[in-house]
Amino acid sequence: MYETKTVNEWKSEVMPAVISKKEEFHLLGYNKASAADIWSCMEKKVWKKEKGKQKRLYEVVADIMSLNVSVYMGYLTMSVYEEDEDLMASIAAINGQS
């Protein structure tokens, strides 16, 4: 039958699909898109409820290829807010504020 693995176990096999998605985003004008950011987006937005779930190779590739720019940009936006929150907490700690 079909082999199943967790998403992270498929990572090396599906990296060409991630790179293809990155190149697609570059063609659409999102030149700062990176394979690492796309993989992180997939883990945190698309596969967040499927941690440890076994998937077939074609399912993982289909998930990657169906990622659209709006989901990716939403992920990046939320990442910036989360980083900003950490930055503000660090600044407050340095200034002696709680």
Side-chain angles (χ1 to χ4, degrees), residues 14-80:
V14 301
M15 199 46 66
V18 174
I19 292 168
S20 175
K21 183 54 71 170
K22 176 191 76 157
E23 292 169 355
E24 175 188 331
F25 286 175
H26 286 192
L27 287 172
L28 295 171
Y30 298 94
N31 296 324
K32 293 189 178 185
S34 70
D37 283 343
I38 290 170
W39 183 261
S40 183
C41 174
M42 295 299 298
E43 287 182 316
K44 293 178 181 172
K45 294 292 267 182
V46 178
W47 299 318
K48 70 180 176 182
K49 295 179 182 176
E50 301 177 1
K51 287 191 182 205
K53 181 181 174 190
Q54 300 279 311
K55 294 187 95 165
R56 294 183 175 113
L57 177 61
Y58 74 86
E59 293 173 317
V60 177
V61 171
D63 289 343
I64 293 166
M65 299 313 291
S66 66
L67 178 66
N68 62 43
V69 173
S70 64
V71 171
Y72 178 69
M73 293 306 291
Y75 161 75
L76 290 179
T77 302
M78 291 308 297
S79 295
V80 168

